Amino acid sequence: MKKTILLTVALAATVAFAACDNKKKNEEGQGAASEMMEIQEAIEVAEWVGTYEGTIAQADGAGFVSTLELKDDNTFAFTQTANGGEGTAETLEGTYAVDAESNIVTLTAADGMVQKFHYEGTSVVLVDSEGNMPETPDMYRLVKKAI
């Protein structure tokens, strides 16, 4: 009888110890998974971040020499100089949001003005207010500057 009680207590202790060990391993696994998700999110954010440059078409001129800087804190600076760079530079600043499903980057300036770009990896294209691509996208494309 003593052997049975002793064996039962030993078995219960073994099961309890194993359960604690499994819980610890599970928590460690969840911590590692959470850390991997944070790293993946940082990589995804880093894809958008950068400086894009080019000339955007202008109906009655040489175009707007443009620079768009998307910063990692979800703020932006969008500078345009009319007449092929010979005019006065104007800069809009504000925040941006990215719709990963449509690849649309929406800039919202401090004054409420909204501009949209379609993100294409190494470039962005100025699109209309509904996110539609222009007929000649290369005339509205800014290319990401190499680091």
Side-chain angles (χ1 to χ4, degrees):
M1 178 75 168
K2 285 184 181 181
K3 285 185 181 182
T4 305
I5 293 174
L6 196 54
L7 187 57
T8 303
V9 170
L11 182 60
T14 303
V15 169
F17 179 73
C20 288
D21 193 43
N22 284 342
K23 182 180 178 185
K24 182 179 177 184
K25 286 180 182 177
N26 190 27
E27 288 172 356
E28 288 173 358
Q30 287 176 347
S34 177
E35 187 176 319
M36 287 301 292
M37 284 179 57
E38 288 174 14
I39 291 170
Q40 181 62 34
E41 287 172 5
I43 290 169
E44 289 172 6
V45 169
E47 289 178 15
W48 310 101
V49 172
T51 301
Y52 301 82
E53 297 177 329
T55 300
I56 294 177
Q58 181 182 9
D60 59 351
F64 292 98
V65 174
S66 305
T67 302
L68 173 61
E69 182 182 3
L70 299 176
K71 303 173 187 175
D72 62 0
D73 64 355
N74 284 75
T75 62
F76 75 89
F78 183 44
T79 304
Q80 290 190 300
T81 307
N83 301 319
E86 299 299 319
T88 303
E90 292 185 29
T91 301
L92 290 175
E93 295 182 322
T95 59
Y96 71 92
V98 178
D99 181 343
E101 193 171 307
S102 65
N103 284 334
I104 297 293
V105 179
T106 302
L107 310 178
T108 304
D111 66 2
M113 185 174 161
V114 175
Q115 295 239 299
K116 293 186 178 190
F117 286 86
H118 184 264
Y119 173 75
E120 298 183 338
T122 59
S123 66
V124 292
V125 176
L126 182 65
V127 295
D128 69 14
S129 62
E130 296 178 12
N132 298 313
M133 292 289 280
E135 287 183 27
T136 53
D138 285 341
M139 294 179 72
Y140 300 91
R141 183 178 312 278
L142 302 178
V143 178
K144 192 170 191 177
K145 231 174 110 170
I147 299 174

